[in-house]
């Protein structure tokens, strides 16, 4: 027992009385200036929402669920991003969303397409919207607006072209943090013999912070997903035990405050080749540089630094040629090699890496002895 | 006492039924939404203050709950309340981490309405002033105690549920609650004596 959980008789009596006041809804007659009178006052001081807000939000949620059950993903998405207030949209983690699409589509009114005769109408509209000369006029008439996304912000930059110094090499006084994960070498044995539950392919796992992690459905032969490590929260609710030990370290001046969530989905094959899918939810308005490093077959992680050159998250790689590719219709970057735990770049071609954005989160997929095509197949199967 | 216990059992049994139905029935989810909306909104309002932010965050919380309901597994009678308020707690924490809010006073127009009651029969503006004043006092407490007070009085959670949300044991929650109330009451009386019972405007 510590000082935080010692209860005196007076404490217990107070707690019991508070429970009674809460049950009565603050209607109990008590001396106004007593502590119980104050509790009644607290119970009475309850903010209440605008009824129209409560009604509208409830209606939207029901519509969204109905659309989801009916498989109408577009309708579901439209409801999801529309808050009842103008500022609601900003809460969605749409970092760089629509960036991989060449055009951004916004609704400026509650206009909706009717279902009857939709095919003919959609066909005509598609043709008209595809022609630049008619697009703006038509969009304006329909209540939509288009804006061109000319600048594609890279998610990966080459260290040679970036004003950057390795904090781990001790050459400068740069602030950095290291988030490292270590797995037991016998993880195959734990899963195979001890019967540990593992993340199911093709499902979205709800994380303790309320966000979700999409587990890719397709895996190369002999590979399985073995574990999910979340940065924050109680992992027991994930439905399987986490085998990893987490470690934070750092040095130099403190980084500016940032909101960051990093989750690792770990897979492998019986030969202990590693496959790691990293999900990063990072601020869009603040620059952060990530270096993915691997140390042996069981330890890996990220070195995190501030980036003064650009906003948003960016992966830094060594002197290799970056290759731009696509995952479906989404732009992605592929490169070989990895950093090691000492902050040195290793061009080891056995490591392939793919970086892209999906549903507002940035993903990094690193695979050992896997080809670019295999990594793309995995990435394409995110639910 | 016996009747209250029976009523509680019925409520819990109904909630379990609604939670299970909500996994494939939008109207059942609406029922859960209606049951929890006021409590979630009140809790969020105290934490963020501004009505606009409270509405945004309440939307976000229920959206997350809707997205996660199919994976929610009923474990015990406190689990659903604990789950939804854990989402609320994390959503507000995320908001604070992302926005680095400055401690600037809010105008009364920006604050949410308060329910009219026997103890607070005054007009809407005076009620808002009381809300602002209480919120200021609560925010002078250590953060853990703030959370316990808000989840208890405005989230309407039992100590066991609060323990689930905050990752504490139940006894620690009771201890934080007791100490927070004593401290808040002392601040409140001091404030009343200083202002002669009149509210300070923000």
């Amino acid at each position: 027992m510590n000082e935080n959980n010692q209860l005196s008789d007076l404490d217990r009596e107070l707690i019991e009385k508070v429970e009674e006041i809460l049950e009565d809804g603050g209607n109990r007659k008590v001396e106004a200036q007593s502590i119980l009178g104050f509790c009644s006052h607290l119970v009475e001081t309850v903010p209440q929402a605008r009824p129209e807000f409560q009604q509208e939000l409830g209606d939207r949620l029901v519509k969204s669920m109905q659309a989801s059950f009916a498989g109408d993903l577009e309708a579901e998405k439209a409801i999801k991003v529309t808050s009842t207030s103008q500022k609601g949209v900003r809460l969605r983690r749409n970092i760089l969303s629509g960036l991989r699409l060449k055009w951004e589509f916004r609704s400026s009114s509650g206009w909706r397409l009717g279902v009857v005769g939709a095919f003919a109408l959609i066909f005509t509209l598609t043709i008209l919207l595809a022609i630049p000369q008619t697009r703006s006029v038509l969009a304006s008439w329909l209540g939509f607006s288009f804006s061109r996304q000319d600048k594609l912000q890279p998610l990966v930059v080459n260290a040679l072209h970036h004003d950057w110094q390795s904090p781990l090499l001790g050459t400068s006084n740069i602030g950095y943090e290291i988030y490292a994960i270590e797995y037991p070498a016998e993880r195959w044995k734990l899963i195979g013999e001890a019967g540990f539950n593992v993340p199911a392919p093709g499902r979205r796992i709800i994380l303790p912070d309320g966000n979700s992690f999409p587990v890719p459905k397709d895996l190369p032969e002999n590979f399985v997903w073995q574990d999910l490590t979340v940065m924050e929260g109680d992992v027991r609710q994930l439905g399987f035990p986490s085998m990893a030990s987490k470690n934070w370290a750092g040095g130099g001046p403190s980084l500016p405050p940032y909101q960051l969530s990093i989750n690792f989905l770990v897979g492998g094959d019986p030969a202990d080749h590693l496959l790691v899918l990293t999900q990063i939810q990072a601020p869009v308005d603040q620059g952060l540089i990530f270096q993915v490093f691997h140390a042996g077959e069981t330890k890996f992680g990220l070195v995190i630094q501030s980036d003064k050159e650009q906003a948003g998250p960016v992966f830094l790689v060594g002197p290799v040629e970056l290759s731009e590719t696509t995952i479906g219709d989404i732009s992605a970057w592929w490169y070989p090699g990895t950093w090691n735990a000492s902050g040195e770049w290793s061009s080891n071609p056995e490591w392939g890496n793919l970086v892209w954005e999906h549903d507002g989160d940035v993903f990094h997929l690193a695979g050992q002895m896997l080809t670019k095509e295999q990594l793309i197949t995995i990435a394409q199967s995110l639910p | 006492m016996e009747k209250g216990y029976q009523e509680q059992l019925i409520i819990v049994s109904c909630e379990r039924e609604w939670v299970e139905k909500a996994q494939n029935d939008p109207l059942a989810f609406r029922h859960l939404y209606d049951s929890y909306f006021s409590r979630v909104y009140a809790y969020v309002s105290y934490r963020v203050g501004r009505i606009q932010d409270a509405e945004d965050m309440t939307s976000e919380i229920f959206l997350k709950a809707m997205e996660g309901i199919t994976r929610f597994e009923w474990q015990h009678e406190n689990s659903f309340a604990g789950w939804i308020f854990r989402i609320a707690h994390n959503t507000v924490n995320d908001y604070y981490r992302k926005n680095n809010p400055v401690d600037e006073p809010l105008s009364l127009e920006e604050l949410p309405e308060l329910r009219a009651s026997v103890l607070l029969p005054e007009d809407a503006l005076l009620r808002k002033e009381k809300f602002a004043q209480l919120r200021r006092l609560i925010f002078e407490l250590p953060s853990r105690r703030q959370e316990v007070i808000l989840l208890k009085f405005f989230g309407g959670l039992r100590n066991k549920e609060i323990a689930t949300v905050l990752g504490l044991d139940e006894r620690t929650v009771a201890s934080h609650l007791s100490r927070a109330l004593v401290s808040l009451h002392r601040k409140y009386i001091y404030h009343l004596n200083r202002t002669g019972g009149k509210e300070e405007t923000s």
Side-chain angles (χ1 to χ4, degrees):
Chain A
M1 191 176 293
N2 60 43
E3 65 168 331
N4 278 335
N5 61 15
Q6 284 174 351
L7 279 179
S8 67
D9 289 343
L10 280 175
D11 287 333
R12 283 196 194 89
E13 194 183 334
L14 174 61
I15 301 287
E16 278 171 21
K17 291 260 167 54
V18 167
E19 297 292 352
E20 288 170 14
I21 286 172
L22 285 167
E23 270 189 27
D24 291 348
N27 294 327
R28 182 166 296 221
K29 286 197 173 173
V30 283
E31 168 61 38
Q33 297 221 350
S34 69
I35 189 164
L36 295 178
F38 172 70
C39 289
S40 288
H41 182 60
L42 267 180
V43 172
E44 289 290 305
T45 318
V46 179
Q48 67 177 8
R50 296 180 298 116
E52 59 272 26
F53 166 69
Q54 180 173 358
Q55 182 68 33
E56 195 181 345
L57 177 60
D59 292 346
R60 282 171 192 274
L61 290 166
V62 169
K63 276 184 192 167
S64 180
M65 276 188 104
Q66 284 166 340
S68 173
F69 288 139
D72 187 354
L73 297 178
E74 285 309 307
E76 185 191 3
K77 196 172 173 183
I79 294 164
K80 275 183 187 172
V81 297
T82 312
S83 163
T84 47
S85 75
Q86 292 179 350
K87 291 201 302 179
V89 177
R90 75 181 175 184
L91 279 167
R92 277 270 144 214
R93 291 178 182 275
N94 267 336
I95 55 173
L96 316 174
S97 68
L99 194 69
R100 310 301 162 227
L101 305 170
K102 297 293 181 192
W103 297 96
E104 190 178 351
F105 180 72
R106 294 192 201 99
S107 168
S108 60
S109 72
W111 187 87
R112 282 174 175 73
L113 274 178
V115 178
V116 181
F119 283 118
L121 186 58
I122 289 171
F123 179 75
T124 312
L125 292 178
T126 307
I127 298 294
L128 292 172
L129 289 170
I131 303 168
Q133 286 79 1
T134 55
R135 180 185 298 133
S136 302
V137 177
L138 182 62
S140 163
W141 180 72
L142 290 174
F144 297 113
S145 66
F146 284 95
S147 62
R148 177 85 189 176
Q149 302 284 299
D150 285 324
K151 281 183 71 177
L152 294 184
Q153 185 182 347
L155 287 173
V156 185
V157 293
N158 193 302
L160 291 175
H161 309 136
H162 205 74
D163 180 17
W164 167 85
Q165 290 173 292
S166 173
L168 303 185
L169 296 178
T171 53
S172 60
N173 183 28
I174 295 169
Y176 68 96
E177 291 176 8
I178 299 177
Y179 180 38
I181 299 292
E182 185 154 16
Y183 273 87
E186 64 278 13
R187 62 184 191 278
W188 264 112
K189 197 174 167 189
L190 289 171
I191 292 167
E193 293 175 15
F196 276 26
N197 284 336
V198 293
R203 295 198 62 180
R204 290 188 79 91
I205 296 175
I206 299 300
L207 304 175
D209 63 4
N211 293 311
S212 65
F213 194 110
V215 181
K217 191 178 170 190
D218 295 333
L219 279 166
E221 200 177 350
N222 295 330
F223 274 77
V224 294
W225 293 121
Q226 299 172 326
D227 197 20
L228 177 66
T229 301
V230 297
M231 190 167 135
E232 283 182 274
D234 183 358
V235 295
R236 284 174 299 179
Q237 75 175 73
L238 298 178
F240 44 84
S242 181
M243 293 181 280
S245 60
K246 297 183 274 190
N247 182 28
W248 276 100
S254 300
L255 298 186
Y258 59 81
Q259 158 61 16
L260 182 63
S261 177
I262 304 169
N263 306 305
F264 297 108
L265 178 69
V266 178
D269 68 0
D272 274 339
H273 293 129
L274 203 57
L275 178 65
V276 184
L277 177 61
T278 308
Q279 178 195 44
I280 295 185
Q281 297 162 339
V284 283
D285 53 349
Q286 188 179 347
L288 288 173
I289 304 176
F290 299 99
Q291 284 173 266
V292 178
F293 71 87
H294 288 91
E297 289 168 344
T298 57
K299 190 173 179 181
F300 58 87
L302 296 168
V303 181
I304 307 165
Q305 281 181 262
S306 273
D307 188 0
K308 292 173 187 159
E309 289 193 26
Q310 67 173 51
V314 66
F315 285 87
L316 192 77
V317 301
V320 288
E321 196 168 328
L322 291 171
S323 117
E324 196 163 338
T325 182
T326 54
I327 299 169
D329 58 356
I330 298 171
S331 291
W333 285 263
W334 182 86
Y335 64 91
T338 186
W339 297 97
N340 66 21
S342 309
E344 295 156 339
W345 177 255
S346 160
S347 300
N348 186 350
E350 101 177 16
W351 282 103
N353 304 269
L354 197 60
V355 180
W356 76 104
E357 193 211 342
H358 177 81
D359 274 357
D361 297 331
V362 176
F363 286 88
H364 180 283
L365 180 64
Q368 221 174 351
M369 303 300 282
L370 293 174
T371 63
K372 178 175 157 186
E373 288 67 33
Q374 284 176 306
L375 293 179
I376 289 174
T377 304
I378 298 169
Q380 261 176 331
S381 69
L382 255 67
Chain B
M1 222 27 209
E2 184 63 24
K3 192 181 170 194
Y5 178 68
Q6 289 295 342
E7 279 172 358
Q8 225 171 52
L9 275 182
I10 292 166
I11 290 167
V12 168
S13 143
C14 287
E15 183 169 283
R16 179 172 194 164
E17 201 179 315
W18 286 115
V19 168
E20 284 167 358
K21 275 187 184 170
Q23 305 199 334
N24 44 33
D25 177 1
L27 294 178
F29 183 80
R30 177 62 184 255
H31 184 88
L32 291 172
Y33 166 83
D34 288 337
S35 304
Y36 279 88
F37 177 86
S38 301
R39 292 159 63 185
V40 169
Y41 182 83
Y43 164 75
V44 169
S45 295
Y46 262 94
R47 287 211 56 192
V48 299
R50 193 176 275 112
I51 185 170
Q52 189 81 72
D53 294 334
E55 290 189 357
D56 284 349
M57 239 157 291
T58 305
S59 305
E60 187 74 7
I61 290 160
F62 280 104
L63 197 60
K64 285 177 178 173
M66 185 195 78
E67 288 169 348
I69 189 77
T70 52
R71 294 166 194 89
F72 174 78
E73 283 178 20
W74 182 277
Q75 289 162 341
H76 49 78
E77 62 176 280
N78 305 307
S79 60
F80 186 74
W83 180 72
I84 201 160
F85 272 93
R86 194 176 175 87
I87 293 176
H89 169 75
N90 288 335
T91 303
V92 179
N93 283 355
D94 278 353
Y95 163 79
Y96 273 119
R97 281 198 291 255
K98 274 195 293 189
N99 290 285
N100 296 323
V102 286
D103 189 19
E104 60 185 22
L106 300 171
S107 70
L108 292 181
E109 292 76 39
E110 292 178 292
L111 299 177
E113 294 288 341
L114 254 68
R115 196 172 58 198
S117 65
V118 180
L119 290 179
L120 293 170
E122 306 95 336
D123 68 30
L125 280 183
L126 280 174
R127 287 199 297 270
K128 283 188 174 195
E129 281 178 4
K130 282 189 186 297
F131 166 77
Q133 175 214 351
L134 264 178
R135 190 168 172 270
R136 270 198 305 274
L137 294 180
I138 291 170
F139 273 62
E140 287 174 15
L141 295 171
S143 60
R144 206 45 120 187
R145 292 183 186 174
Q146 290 174 26
E147 275 291 348
V148 171
I149 287 285
L150 298 183
L151 289 168
K152 185 78 188 171
F153 283 87
F154 307 110
L157 297 188
R158 297 173 195 171
N159 291 359
K160 195 171 182 180
E161 293 164 336
I162 297 173
T164 306
V165 174
L166 300 179
L168 303 172
D169 71 50
E170 202 177 336
R171 182 185 284 269
T172 305
V173 169
S175 168
H176 277 314
L177 179 62
S178 163
R179 287 167 202 189
L181 281 174
V182 170
S183 169
L184 261 182
H185 177 239
R186 196 178 299 134
K187 287 172 193 288
Y188 181 68
I189 294 299
Y190 172 78
H191 176 82
L192 283 185
N193 292 339
R194 197 163 59 90
T195 60
K198 291 177 185 169
E199 308 298 340
E200 286 175 339
T201 52
S202 298

